[in-house]
């Protein structure tokens, strides 16, 4: 994984799950870079998706966790950067495949949609699973081309 830290970011609608997952990561011994938001006061998800993209693109973080209400808006924002491969995840199988096939470097959750325990387990699997490479490598490389 490029970069030791795992960055976390959310908007107001994802704040509670972001905080829970941050604590899980810290308890597991990870170095966590919290990019906000810092409360449930209303904010705009594109700002936090962009902050995540900057952290990944600069190498300040090797992996990232995003949370908004659905996971959709904040992942769209992050994926505008070609160095980001953010996957919206609703189950553990998708978490595994996003790593094995897509080399996803950011996992995104919708706090309003996903069960807390599913999100916690999916994040563990996301972090533990390696990219398969092989036939997937050229496809993933194409994602970063203009
Ligand atoms: C905020 O209300 C909500 O729209 C946002 O968290 C997210 O779900 C957008 O995709």
């Amino acid at each position: 994984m490029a970069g030791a830290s795992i960055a976390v970011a959310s908007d107001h609608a994802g704040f509670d799950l972001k905080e829970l997952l941050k604590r899980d990561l810290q308890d597991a011994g990870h170095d966590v870079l919290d990019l906000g938001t810092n409360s449930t006061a209303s904010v705009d998800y594109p700002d936090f998706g962009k902050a995540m993209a900057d952290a990944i693109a600069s190498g300040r973080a090797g992996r990232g966790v995003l949370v908004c209400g659905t996971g959709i808006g904040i992942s769209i924002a992050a994926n505008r950067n070609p160095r980001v491969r953010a996957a919206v995840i609703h189950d553990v199988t998708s978490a595994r495949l996003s790593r094995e096939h897509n080399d996803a470097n950011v996992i995104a959750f919708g706090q309003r949609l996903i069960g807390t325990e599913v999100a916690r387990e999916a994040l563990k699997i996301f972090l533990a699973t390696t990219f398969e490479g092989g036939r997937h490598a050229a496809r993933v490389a194409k994602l970063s081309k203009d």
Side-chain angles (χ1 to χ4, degrees):
M1 176 178 9
S5 294
I6 299 173
V8 298
S10 75
D11 70 355
H12 55 287
F15 174 72
D16 291 337
L17 182 57
K18 186 261 286 180
E19 290 296 301
L20 179 72
L21 297 175
K22 178 173 76 172
R23 279 195 298 276
D24 278 355
L25 291 169
Q26 289 169 334
D27 289 348
H30 294 288
D31 178 30
V32 178
L33 175 65
D34 190 344
L35 302 170
T37 191
N38 299 315
S39 77
T40 55
S42 185
V43 291
D44 297 332
Y45 60 80
D47 298 333
F48 296 89
K50 170 77 163 58
M52 176 62 72
D54 290 346
I56 295 286
S58 70
R60 280 196 299 145
R63 299 271 175 87
V65 181
L66 290 172
V67 193
C68 68
T70 60
I72 297 170
I74 203 163
S75 62
I76 290 173
N79 276 323
R80 291 175 58 80
N81 188 310
R83 297 187 67 171
V84 172
R85 292 177 299 280
V88 184
I89 293 300
H90 298 281
D91 60 86
V92 294
T93 305
S94 302
R96 176 174 60 79
L97 288 169
S98 75
R99 290 288 311 131
E100 288 179 351
H101 289 198
N102 312 112
D103 199 16
N105 50 12
V106 175
I107 189 167
F109 295 114
Q111 180 181 302
R112 293 173 177 162
L113 303 178
I114 195 165
T116 301
E117 292 307 312
V118 176
R120 296 174 87 184
E121 187 65 20
L123 177 54
K124 273 191 219 161
I125 288 169
F126 179 80
L127 294 174
T129 304
T130 54
F131 179 47
E132 274 183 8
R135 71 186 192 279
H136 305 294
R139 297 166 184 163
V140 168
K142 283 188 178 183
L143 293 173
S144 301
K145 291 192 179 144
D146 291 334

